[in-house]
Amino acid sequence: MALFDVIVSKAPWEIRGQFFGTGPKPLVDRTSHFTFGTKTQEFSVPPSAFLKSCSDDGGVSIDMNHGTTTLAFKFRHGVIVAVDSRASAGSYIDAKEFNKVIEINPYLLGTMSGSAADCQYWERLLAKECRLYKLRNKERISVSAASKLLSNMMCAYKGMGLSVGSMICGWDKKGPGLYYVDDDGTRMSGRMFSTGSGNSYAYGVVDSGYREDLTVEEAYELGRRGIAHATHRDSYSGGVVNLYHMQEDGWIKVCKEDVSELLHKYRKGMF
Amino acid sequence: MLSTPMFANGGRMKEYHHSGSTECRFSPYAYNGGTVLAVAGEDFAIVASDTRLSEGYSIHSRDSPKCYKLTDTTVLGCSGFHGDCLTLTKIIDARLKMYKHSNNKSMTSGAIAAMLSTILYGRRFFPYYVYNIIGGLDEEGRGAVYSFDPVGSYQRDSYKAGGSASAMLQPLLDNQIGFKNMENVQHLPLTLEKAMQLVKDVFISAAERDVYTGDALKLCIITKEGIKEEMVPLRKD
């Protein structure tokens, strides 16, 4: 426990003061889980360079799940969300069918890219906050507010090495909503986003096939193709395509198709 | 062997020594090896681990199993840094007791998995260097396996290998249990006897090719009757 005493004898904002200079107190994390051995409930915070050095130690290598392609776009009939399903730890494929879409409530979806643990944890916390909002205010949270909650959580830990690239999609009183939220605090509303290591390939495919007046089936096919072609070129993406459609009365899960089978079907256009 | 560099210094042999200062950093982690495996069937789950505890070129112990019984329906397998495994299991035991006292019932496998995820993420910036796999029965009595990364990302699987020989075992399990890369094969559901034989065979193979795996294999078989343990010897070299 000696190491804990050294690291956690000061409250996290005091430690921050040492490294970054004094400033306004950051948002206090209000989770109530117990962390035995630590004196405060916030995360113990050594410099973010510490984790990087652990990947180079001889024999000791902490690899965390990473790498993705996700995409989402708005069109006349709602929002299409498509993600791949590969979770890689270093060069090892840790999971072939990892679920990268979190179903926050029947009207809100969140996608995950970057570090799997960071996305899973913060988006589950977001789901909890959305539920509390609904209980306190007797109405569903808007997509704008939900994405703002997530981006504020990200800002509180800015610079500490979190890796989150997420899209919050939903349908609220203002119609279909799509926001991109990042670990450096970026929050943008838009018509189309793609995140992850394979995002550039997905952008190419979806940009060339997109029209505002796509039919529902054409939009499904565009989402599937975007992910399938990105997994073909990006080694850190693969597995299956999970496709969701956000409609006025909630989201539906459209399909879950293996990428190799899709690419085999598209083979005529490729060598 | 004759090579030009040896003769480049006018016939004198090149001196091999380190010039300059050396930096030695204290590392809070060590790698103690070990492999863990979990398989879920229709109404059973098996969690297996080898019992070798090593560090570098040495073996600290030949009798250090990596399966920890959490409840009557759940077993945790953890490999990686032994110090963190011990602390993590102590914390989980305490949290299980607290839950039992507050809620008057034992935690289900799914609840333990979700709790372990938040415990691991609580140390996001100074992780527990442990690869965890939980095996047990869910509320409906079906086998469940949950696999984790060191910082808490997890999901439910039907089989998973973790630890030093995981990259060798996982493809074999994909083929035998997941029927991957096989054509025209009948997908028979996994029986307890076939699963046990598969686990033993798979560990024998791992012990052949991985230096950190060997000595003995401990199997924990979880069924609705309870948890049965079995020890099988492996290569000791």
Side-chain angles (χ1 to χ4, degrees):
Chain A
M1 292 299 185
L3 203 52
F4 274 116
D5 290 341
V6 165
I7 288 174
V8 206
S9 55
K10 290 184 173 223
W13 49 87
E14 290 174 289
I15 295 177
R16 263 197 115 178
Q18 277 173 1
F19 296 131
F20 304 109
T22 49
K25 277 192 191 169
L27 202 67
V28 170
D29 181 31
R30 255 182 259 109
T31 54
S32 61
H33 57 265
F34 300 97
T35 43
F36 291 102
T38 58
K39 295 187 179 128
T40 64
Q41 282 180 7
E42 285 82 17
F43 305 121
S44 58
V45 187
S48 55
F50 173 72
L51 245 180
K52 287 199 193 96
S53 68
C54 289
S55 328
D56 298 325
D57 269 337
V60 172
S61 150
I62 300 188
D63 280 326
M64 300 177 298
N65 293 339
H66 243 107
T68 308
T69 310
T70 70
L71 66 87
F73 58 87
K74 279 197 239 186
F75 71 122
R76 182 168 295 176
H77 303 285
V79 190
I80 297 289
V81 179
V83 301
D84 78 315
S85 68
R86 177 172 289 185
S88 45
S91 61
Y92 179 65
I93 297 173
D94 205 21
K96 291 180 297 172
E97 289 192 28
F98 189 82
N99 190 13
K100 298 188 188 181
V101 174
I102 179 164
E103 299 155 3
I104 295 171
N105 65 43
Y107 292 82
L108 260 185
L109 290 175
T111 67
M112 311 189 204
S113 74
S115 162
D118 289 339
C119 291
Q120 262 193 350
Y121 181 84
W122 292 108
E123 294 196 21
R124 275 185 72 200
L125 204 57
L126 176 64
K128 181 189 104 168
E129 291 296 327
C130 292
R131 177 88 183 116
L132 284 173
Y133 181 98
K134 181 162 183 209
L135 290 168
R136 288 174 183 140
N137 300 283
K138 291 190 199 162
E139 66 167 16
R140 247 185 275 117
I141 191 171
S142 65
V143 188
S144 170
S147 60
K148 199 73 179 264
L149 278 174
L150 184 62
S151 85
N152 287 343
M153 292 175 200
M154 293 296 104
C155 285
Y157 286 89
K158 190 177 161 114
M160 295 197 198
L162 293 183
S163 171
V164 171
S166 162
M167 296 184 293
I168 306 296
C169 326
W171 197 302
D172 57 21
K173 285 189 276 208
K174 295 202 201 97
L178 176 59
Y179 284 82
Y180 168 71
V181 176
D182 210 319
D183 54 81
D184 52 19
T186 309
R187 172 180 163 268
M188 291 191 288
S189 168
R191 319 215 75 232
M192 200 256 282
F193 291 109
S194 173
T195 71
S197 48
N199 71 345
S200 36
Y201 309 109
Y203 272 131
V205 172
V206 180
D207 278 334
S208 62
Y210 181 80
R211 289 182 335 266
E212 207 275 334
D213 59 352
L214 287 167
T215 66
V216 171
E217 278 307 319
E218 285 174 345
Y220 290 169
E221 188 55 23
L222 188 61
R224 265 195 294 261
R225 271 192 184 260
I227 297 292
H229 288 290
T231 60
H232 180 59
R233 286 293 177 180
D234 177 34
S235 37
Y236 288 95
S237 304
V240 301
V241 181
N242 282 312
L243 189 63
Y244 288 75
H245 179 189
M246 178 66 67
Q247 298 164 319
E248 187 160 4
D249 50 357
W251 55 259
I252 53 165
K253 179 150 189 195
V254 177
C255 71
K256 175 188 185 135
E257 287 188 34
D258 190 302
V259 161
S260 339
E261 277 159 38
L262 280 176
L263 288 170
H264 189 77
K265 241 181 18 179
Y266 303 149
R267 223 178 186 184
K268 290 205 185 104
M270 290 159 48
F271 45 84
Chain B
M1 285 224 253
L2 293 180
S3 52
T4 351
M6 244 169 84
F7 286 55
N9 284 346
R12 288 193 318 277
M13 207 169 89
K14 191 168 152 190
E15 284 178 34
Y16 291 94
H17 65 271
H18 174 80
S19 42
S21 46
T22 318
E23 189 183 314
C24 290
R25 275 191 67 200
F26 167 70
S27 168
Y29 297 116
Y31 185 62
N32 295 118
T35 307
V36 182
L37 171 57
V39 176
E42 188 57 45
D43 56 353
F44 66 91
I46 299 179
V47 180
S49 76
D50 71 324
T51 59
R52 174 175 286 181
L53 190 74
S54 21
E55 187 169 346
Y57 291 112
S58 320
I59 295 178
H60 286 315
S61 166
R62 294 193 191 275
D63 186 20
S64 169
K66 293 153 194 70
C67 313
Y68 300 92
K69 175 173 173 266
L70 297 180
T71 65
D72 286 329
T73 55
T74 319
V75 174
L76 169 67
C78 28
S79 66
F81 171 42
H82 193 62
D84 276 347
C85 294
L86 292 174
T87 306
L88 188 61
T89 45
K90 262 196 205 122
I91 290 178
I92 294 174
D93 278 335
R95 291 287 298 270
L96 285 173
K97 251 190 215 145
M98 285 163 60
Y99 183 96
K100 184 108 191 254
H101 290 147
S102 323
N103 299 283
N104 201 24
K105 61 174 183 148
S106 301
M107 278 186 98
T108 59
S109 295
I112 296 178
M115 178 185 76
L116 180 55
S117 173
T118 44
I119 292 176
L120 291 171
Y121 199 81
R123 291 273 299 264
R124 167 67 174 79
F125 300 112
F126 182 13
Y128 288 110
Y129 183 26
V130 186
Y131 292 92
N132 295 290
I133 304 184
I134 287 180
L137 300 175
D138 66 9
E139 286 121 317
E140 286 145 37
R142 281 200 289 267
V145 166
Y146 296 91
S147 61
F148 296 77
D149 80 344
V151 273
S153 131
Y154 80 108
Q155 66 161 24
R156 185 169 174 173
D157 296 306
S158 39
Y159 55 88
K160 187 80 177 169
S164 55
S166 59
M168 286 182 221
L169 299 185
Q170 189 66 30
L172 184 50
L173 295 176
D174 282 335
N175 178 265
Q176 290 296 306
I177 305 181
F179 302 105
K180 301 274 188 287
N181 300 312
M182 290 210 282
E183 284 185 37
N184 303 322
V185 157
Q186 218 187 347
H187 290 256
L188 295 162
L190 194 63
T191 61
L192 178 57
E193 292 70 33
K194 182 154 186 282
M196 278 182 60
Q197 194 51 52
L198 188 63
V199 168
K200 288 174 189 165
D201 289 340
V202 132
F203 262 92
I204 290 169
S205 315
E208 294 282 326
R209 288 289 184 175
D210 180 33
V211 301
Y212 293 113
T213 305
D215 293 331
L217 164 66
K218 179 166 175 185
L219 283 131
C220 299
I221 301 129
I222 306 145
T223 51
K224 62 179 191 297
E225 275 94 49
I227 301 182
K228 238 176 32 190
E229 291 176 10
E230 199 180 311
M231 286 286 255
V232 173
L234 292 174
R235 287 185 76 117
K236 290 182 164 41
D237 60 357

